[in-house]
Amino acid sequence: MRILFDNQIFSHQSYGGVIKYFEELLSNLRKRNNLTVKIPKIYLRNEASFYMKNKKNNTFLIFYANKIINKIKREIKFILDKTSNASQLKKQEFDIFHPTYYDPYFLPYLKDKPFVLTIYDMIQERFPEYFGQKNQTGMQKALLAEKASKIIAISQNTKKDIVNILGVKPEKIEVIYLATTPEKNMEPVPVPNFYILFVGGRGRYKNFSTMAKAFSNLSQNYPDLFLVCTGHDFSEEENNMLADLGISSKSISITANPQQLAFLYFNAKVFVFPSKYEGFGLPILEAFSYNCPVILSRASCFPEIAGEAALYFETENSLSLEKTIEILLNDKEMRKQLIQKGLERLKFFSWNTTTNKTLSLYQRCLIAN
């Protein structure tokens, strides 16, 4: 079997959950016999190699300081990569195609070859108010969902949304979970000893304001408690909110590489994921793998992924979150139980299983075609 991927997502991003998914899938597929796995030679790695080279010396700050320049470079890179992708597609030297994102540029080149589409979430469709009137990604996703031979959804919750919102028949969709690969080494980060961890984006549907309000109340009873956030620096709006809540001096923003993030998970008192919606929620598995107790909003796919290995709060209720965090700050036995349940829950997710199920789906597409 000859499988062709494109490099859409690698042109747009240097890291993130979707990047991890395709890197693991590509790596595992290439280990299998009787498979030819292709991706156009340009395959980003200009910026991705920047990421890999610099993750050890924490020069992510340079990346963010030059984000406008890098955005322009990405746009140019995407145009070049799209040309390379089209060239590979025209050769027709593949049996099945798997695009890495939603640009439908490839449709004219497929001829009668099948393609599999991975839909990571339905955030644009569930929260259109955050994405403006012209939601290009949502329109592209709908078109490709209609044209695809099969669709991979990364959770049952995402599958349900695809069916309900896009009108796709359930039998066209295969749920294939993601997994995580823990870092072998941790890199210490100079942070306080007593902190709550928040990982990833904080805008729009991420519900960071609920986290901030809950922490503001907690900090009055726990003066040594800090809030550590990974990702970009606090925006002006976020700084104003933190100041209004009186927690600016106790809120820290850190740009962490994977080894540093492992350290932050391992040493956090609790990891809180308050998002209103996620397609899967890789940070949940990351926290489990580093023995970090987890608190989640009772929303989207979270109960499906974490099961009984996490505590839950009512999504936009800061008092509910505050009380749930306080339980884990004081109940050592509960912390131990959740950590053990998290390790057990991890056994349900592996990249080997992800690869096997994906390969099986490819084979069924070829038979049907």
Side-chain angles (χ1 to χ4, degrees):
M1 184 192 306
R2 299 171 300 173
I3 310 161
L4 177 64
F5 292 83
D6 69 8
N7 48 34
Q8 284 191 64
I9 195 63
F10 299 99
S11 299
H12 285 303
Q13 299 178 6
S14 293
Y15 57 95
V18 181
I19 290 276
K20 289 180 183 179
Y21 163 54
F22 278 105
E23 286 187 332
E24 292 288 349
L25 182 59
L26 284 161
S27 175
N28 279 275
L29 284 171
R30 283 171 170 155
K31 296 174 184 176
R32 306 303 173 93
N33 295 324
N34 303 317
L35 287 181
T36 301
V37 182
K38 296 183 178 181
I39 192 161
K41 290 182 179 179
I42 292 178
Y43 170 48
L44 183 59
R45 284 326 179 201
N46 280 351
E47 287 184 354
S49 62
F50 170 90
Y51 166 70
M52 297 301 289
K53 284 188 297 184
N54 290 285
K55 67 181 183 179
K56 294 182 178 180
N57 58 23
N58 202 27
T59 54
F60 279 17
L61 295 177
I62 298 174
F63 178 85
Y64 284 108
N66 293 283
K67 62 182 179 180
I68 296 176
I69 296 173
N70 285 329
K71 182 178 180 181
I72 295 171
K73 287 181 179 179
R74 281 196 299 271
E75 291 302 320
I76 296 172
K77 181 67 176 165
F78 181 60
I79 293 170
L80 294 173
D81 281 357
K82 189 184 290 189
T83 301
S84 177
N85 292 328
S87 176
Q88 288 289 333
L89 287 160
K90 288 177 182 178
K91 292 178 182 179
Q92 290 287 295
E93 296 176 350
F94 63 95
D95 299 307
I96 192 161
F97 179 60
H98 195 158
T100 56
Y101 211 59
Y102 304 124
D103 190 310
Y105 75 92
F106 57 85
L107 290 177
Y109 308 113
L110 283 180
K111 297 184 178 180
D112 61 345
K113 298 291 179 70
F115 81 93
V116 169
L117 177 70
T118 300
I119 295 183
Y120 318 103
D121 56 59
M122 295 293 288
I123 291 171
Q124 291 91 348
E125 294 78 6
R126 288 289 303 274
F127 298 93
E129 64 272 20
Y130 295 134
F131 296 92
Q133 292 183 341
K134 188 177 180 180
N135 182 4
Q136 184 178 14
T137 299
M139 291 187 289
Q140 292 176 335
K141 188 190 303 180
L143 172 64
L144 293 184
E146 177 188 352
K147 301 290 186 181
S149 303
K150 286 287 185 179
I151 294 171
I152 294 172
I154 59 176
S155 67
Q156 291 289 349
N157 187 76
T158 297
K159 177 178 178 175
K160 180 183 70 176
D161 284 344
I162 295 169
V163 171
N164 292 340
I165 297 172
L166 298 183
V168 177
K169 293 181 179 179
E171 55 267 26
K172 187 177 181 176
I173 308 169
E174 179 92 0
V175 174
I176 302 179
Y177 289 135
L178 308 186
T180 190
T181 304
E183 292 293 323
K184 295 180 180 179
N185 300 303
M186 296 184 189
E187 183 179 335
V189 183
V191 291
N193 293 325
F194 191 40
Y195 64 90
I196 297 167
L197 182 63
F198 183 105
V199 172
R202 297 185 294 270
R204 301 184 289 193
Y205 58 92
K206 295 295 186 177
N207 202 23
F208 179 64
S209 61
T210 297
M211 174 73 255
K213 291 172 186 175
F215 178 73
S216 175
N217 291 333
L218 281 168
S219 65
Q220 297 178 31
N221 295 323
Y222 299 87
D224 297 329
L225 184 64
F226 283 77
L227 175 61
V228 174
C229 303
T230 67
H232 55 74
D233 290 339
F234 292 129
S235 66
E236 182 179 356
E237 182 181 356
E238 288 171 337
N239 277 322
N240 290 337
M241 176 182 66
L242 297 174
D244 290 341
L245 292 170
I247 54 174
S248 294
S249 62
K250 295 184 178 181
S251 303
I252 301 169
S253 175
I254 295 176
T255 303
N257 66 40
Q259 291 81 15
Q260 292 170 333
L261 183 58
F263 175 89
L264 291 172
Y265 276 124
F266 187 76
N267 289 281
K269 295 303 177 185
V270 60
F271 162 63
V272 178
F273 205 175
S275 180
K276 297 177 185 179
Y277 185 99
E278 297 291 331
F280 182 86
L282 270 177
I284 298 171
L285 301 189
E286 291 173 350
F288 287 166
S289 68
Y290 297 118
N291 295 340
C292 182
V294 174
I295 293 177
L296 305 169
S297 60
R298 195 177 298 279
S300 70
C301 64
F302 287 164
E304 174 187 348
I305 303 305
E308 296 181 355
L311 296 185
Y312 299 89
F313 72 97
E314 300 308 316
T315 306
E316 295 186 74
N317 188 328
S318 61
L319 181 59
S320 173
L321 176 54
E322 176 190 344
K323 290 180 177 178
T324 308
I325 294 173
E326 196 159 22
I327 290 172
L328 287 186
L329 293 181
N330 293 296
D331 192 333
K332 292 183 179 180
E333 188 58 34
M334 174 68 76
R335 288 175 55 82
K336 289 180 182 178
Q337 290 176 9
L338 283 182
I339 289 171
Q340 185 57 43
K341 287 180 179 179
L343 294 174
E344 291 296 318
R345 189 67 181 167
L346 275 176
K347 296 176 182 178
F348 289 92
F349 307 93
S350 78
W351 289 121
N352 189 54
T353 300
T354 301
T355 305
N356 287 340
K357 289 188 174 183
T358 303
L359 186 55
S360 174
L361 188 65
Y362 292 158
Q363 292 167 337
R364 279 180 275 141
C365 285
L366 292 178
I367 293 171
N369 200 54

